[in-house]
Amino acid sequence: MVNKHQKISKATMSRFPRYLKALRNMQHEGKEHFLSSELSEATGILDTTIRRDFGFLTDKESLGKRGIGYDTKEIINILNNVLGLGLDESIILIGVGNLGSAILKYNRWQYTVGKIVCCYDQDQNKVGERFGVKLNHIDDLEKTFPEGCKIAILAISDQVQETVDRLMALGVKGIVDFTHSHFTVHDDVVVQTVDVVVAIQELVLKMHANDE
Ligand SMILES: NC(=O)c1ccc[n+]([C@@H]2O[C@H](COP(=O)([O-])OP(=O)(O)OC[C@H]3O[C@@H](n4cnc5c(N)ncnc54)[C@H](O)[C@@H]3O)[C@@H](O)[C@H]2O)c1
C-alpha cells in the first residue's frame, strides 16, 4: 500500500509513532473517523503538517473523505505497515529496581505497541508479581521466556553483556537500553538507548542554538 516509502523524510517518520499512539487511543474510545484538526489537538502537531505527512502514506488522491474525515482503522493499519509495528508486541522487562518499577507502573502501553508480559530480576525476594505483571527470577529466563517475544527493556545494573547474550539466544531482536553500559549485539539486533543525561545535553545545545 505504501509505495512512496523511500521518499518519507526522517522528520515525517518521527511523527508517525505520535499519530499512531493518538489514533489508537481514539480508536479505543470508539472513534471510527477523525479530522486532521482533531489529531492536531491530540498530538500538538499542526494539521497542515499532518495532512502533508499523510500524503506520503498513499498514492491515492486523498485518504480523507470530505465531511467525514479519515478512517481511523485504515490510517492505523497504514501507519503500522510503514512502521512495521504490531499492536500486540510482547515485551519483557529485565531489572525491576527504581527505574524498572517506574516503567512497569507506567501502563499507558495499551493501544500503542503492546505490553510488558513479564519481568525479571536477580533478586529472589522480588519474585512474584508487580503491578499485575509476573516477575520471574532471571535464572529462569530460558524456562519462562514468552513465546514470540522480540523486544526487551533493560533496566539492570550488573552483567549486562551476559544478559544481552542470553536474550539474543532466545530470539530478541530489539533492546530498549536504559543501562549506561557498553555492550555489543549481533548485526540483526537493534538497540535503542534512552538516557536522560544525553537528553538534557541535547536540550541545552538546542537552547544555546536558540540564543544565537
Ligand atoms: N538511562 C537513564 O536515563 C537512566 C536513569 C536512571 C538509571 N539508569 C540506569 O538504569 C539501571 C537501573 O537503575 P535503577 O536506579 O533502577 O537501579 P536499581 O539498583 O534500583 O535497580 C536495578 C535492578 O536490577 C536488578 N538487576 C541488576 N542486574 C541484573 C541482572 N543482570 N539481571 C536481572 N536483574 C538485575 C537488581 O536486582 C535491581 O532490582 C542502572 O544501570 C542505571 O545506571 C539509567
Side-chain angles (χ1 to χ4, degrees), residues 69-81:
Y70 298 94
D71 183 309
T72 313
K73 195 171 163 196
E74 183 184 12
I75 302 288
I76 286 176
N77 285 343
I78 297 174
L79 287 170
N80 273 337
N81 181 9

Side-chain angles (χ1 to χ4, degrees), residues 109-123:
W109 306 75
Q110 286 159 307
Y111 332 117
T112 54
V113 288
K115 61 177 180 184
I116 297 179
V117 289
C118 67
C119 47
Y120 295 87
D121 202 284
Q122 65 184 5
D123 184 348

Side-chain angles (χ1 to χ4, degrees), residues 1-201:
M1 195 184 287
V2 179
N3 40 18
K4 292 185 182 174
H5 215 142
Q6 302 85 328
K7 293 182 203 158
I8 302 178
S9 73
K10 255 193 182 168
T12 295
M13 277 305 269
S14 72
R15 285 189 287 270
F16 285 163
R18 290 166 68 186
Y19 299 149
L20 194 53
K21 184 172 181 177
L23 292 177
R24 281 177 178 161
N25 278 324
M26 285 186 193
Q27 188 181 44
H28 182 66
E29 284 160 11
K31 209 162 170 47
E32 290 178 11
H33 294 92
F34 67 94
L35 302 171
S36 56
S37 56
E38 292 171 305
L39 186 57
S40 172
E41 210 167 291
T43 58
I45 297 169
L46 286 177
D47 55 355
T48 46
T49 306
I50 292 173
R51 285 196 296 274
R52 197 189 55 225
D53 287 350
F54 280 8
F56 289 105
L57 293 174
T58 180
D59 272 348
K60 279 199 240 169
E61 182 78 358
S62 168
L63 280 170
K65 287 200 185 82
R66 197 177 292 274
I68 297 175
Y70 298 94
D71 183 309
T72 313
K73 195 171 163 196
E74 183 184 12
I75 302 288
I76 286 176
N77 285 343
I78 297 174
L79 287 170
N80 273 337
N81 181 9
V82 175
L83 293 167
L85 289 172
L87 257 172
D88 302 313
E89 294 290 343
S90 294
I91 302 164
I92 56 168
L93 167 72
I94 320 281
V96 193
N98 291 311
L99 189 59
S101 297
I103 293 168
L104 201 54
K105 204 175 166 196
Y106 177 82
N107 62 358
R108 285 197 235 147
W109 306 75
Q110 286 159 307
Y111 332 117
T112 54
V113 288
K115 61 177 180 184
I116 297 179
V117 289
C118 67
C119 47
Y120 295 87
D121 202 284
Q122 65 184 5
D123 184 348
Q124 189 63 46
N125 295 322
K126 292 186 176 172
V127 169
E129 207 184 271
R130 200 156 171 87
F131 304 121
V133 178
K134 182 126 180 47
L135 198 162
N136 302 307
H137 194 274
I138 192 68
D139 285 354
D140 296 330
L141 178 67
E142 286 75 10
K143 251 195 288 178
T144 57
F145 188 76
E147 209 188 315
C149 170
K150 297 269 175 272
I151 299 175
I153 302 170
L154 275 192
I156 56 175
S157 40
D158 305 325
Q159 295 165 301
V160 178
Q161 183 68 60
E162 187 195 315
T163 308
V164 168
D165 291 343
R166 287 170 73 188
L167 291 169
M168 290 191 295
L170 287 163
V172 166
K173 297 289 178 209
I175 295 173
V176 181
D177 170 38
F178 283 92
T179 73
H180 295 121
S181 310
H182 171 73
F183 57 85
T184 57
V185 291
H186 303 154
D187 287 346
D188 63 344
V189 175
V190 180
V191 179
Q192 182 73 49
T193 301
V194 184
D195 191 327
V196 175
V197 174
V198 171
I200 294 170
Q201 285 169 340

